[in-house]
Amino acid sequence: MRFGVSILTAAALLAAPVVYAQARAPGLQTAVFAGGCFWSEEKAFDDVPGVRSAVSGFVGGHTANPTYEQVVRGGTGHMEAVQVTFDPRVVSYRALVDRYWRTIDPTDPNGQFCDQGPSYRSAVFATSEQRADAVASRDAAMRVLRKSFTTPVVGVQRFWPAGEAHQNYAKRHAASYQAYRIGCRRPERLRAIWGDAAVS
């Protein structure tokens, strides 16, 4: 994870070409969330009943098959994101979006916690079928916090998986991930926002 300073607007996200990675097996669906560090977002969904996989990657940019180095250097327009493949017979899309809000600070337009800059912005990438649930979830979460959110709900865009070194990072490199998580003060800051409902 690195620090940055510039900001890409939600309008730029909406203007990007819309391409969506389809679910990989019959009956399964996908959801895409950008929420700062993709290691943390992947970890937040990994063990949810009904989630078949959570893949770290990039979304919302204009460079094909970007590398991690290209994205964090800036200029590709991508954000770190997680693609969640789930069984809607076990867990609903709405339940996943409800969980998502509690993994981030949705009032920060510039990134998440110690990760700041365009590649760490937050957004929900929803299909036309998912949009109503995503917006309803966002509105309900805003009522809980009694604050306006800067995290947009936008149309789906092409998701590019990150390299193998970034997949399942929190599980494969538990000590390193824990050091990052504590150094970023992620648990404390999430609890300050969401209380006992925080997902860190």
Side-chain angles (χ1 to χ4, degrees):
M1 303 294 106
R2 66 182 278 278
F3 297 86
V5 290
S6 60
I7 304 170
L8 224 67
T9 64
L13 290 174
L14 291 168
V18 174
V19 186
Y20 193 63
Q22 296 298 317
R24 287 169 285 185
L28 301 185
Q29 297 178 13
T30 54
V32 176
F33 305 113
C37 169
F38 51 23
W39 300 337
S40 298
E41 286 302 300
E42 181 185 288
K43 180 179 181 296
F45 290 98
D46 249 347
D47 297 321
V48 174
V51 168
R52 296 293 183 86
S53 68
V55 177
S56 290
F58 312 105
V59 68
H62 50 74
T63 300
N65 199 25
T67 65
Y68 176 78
E69 291 73 22
Q70 287 175 315
V71 172
V72 297
R73 188 165 57 239
T76 71
H78 291 90
M79 293 181 288
E80 291 194 12
V82 63
Q83 183 183 66
V84 180
T85 299
F86 65 99
D87 186 340
R89 295 164 296 187
V90 180
V91 62
S92 68
Y93 175 76
R94 172 64 188 265
L96 295 176
V97 188
D98 288 347
R99 182 178 182 83
Y100 163 75
W101 299 117
R102 288 156 178 79
T103 70
I104 65 167
D105 175 359
T107 68
D108 186 347
N110 302 325
Q112 289 295 302
F113 311 111
C114 64
D115 296 313
Q116 295 290 304
S119 63
Y120 298 115
R121 290 164 299 131
S122 58
V124 176
F125 293 84
T127 66
S128 57
E129 293 81 9
Q130 293 170 339
R131 183 173 177 81
D133 277 340
V135 171
S137 174
R138 185 176 188 263
D139 291 347
M142 281 196 292
R143 287 193 295 272
V144 170
L145 290 192
R146 299 180 182 179
K147 294 180 180 179
S148 294
F149 288 4
T150 58
T151 301
V153 174
V154 298
V156 292
Q157 298 177 35
R158 178 65 181 263
F159 178 86
W160 300 95
E164 185 60 31
H166 294 288
Q167 304 302 332
N168 298 309
Y169 190 91
K171 289 183 177 178
R172 293 190 299 110
H173 305 285
S176 294
Y177 177 73
Q178 186 69 357
Y180 157 75
R181 181 173 169 266
I182 299 304
C184 233
R185 297 184 58 242
R186 188 179 184 93
E188 297 93 326
R189 295 175 72 176
L190 280 168
R191 279 198 300 271
I193 297 165
W194 293 105
D196 291 341
V199 178
S200 64

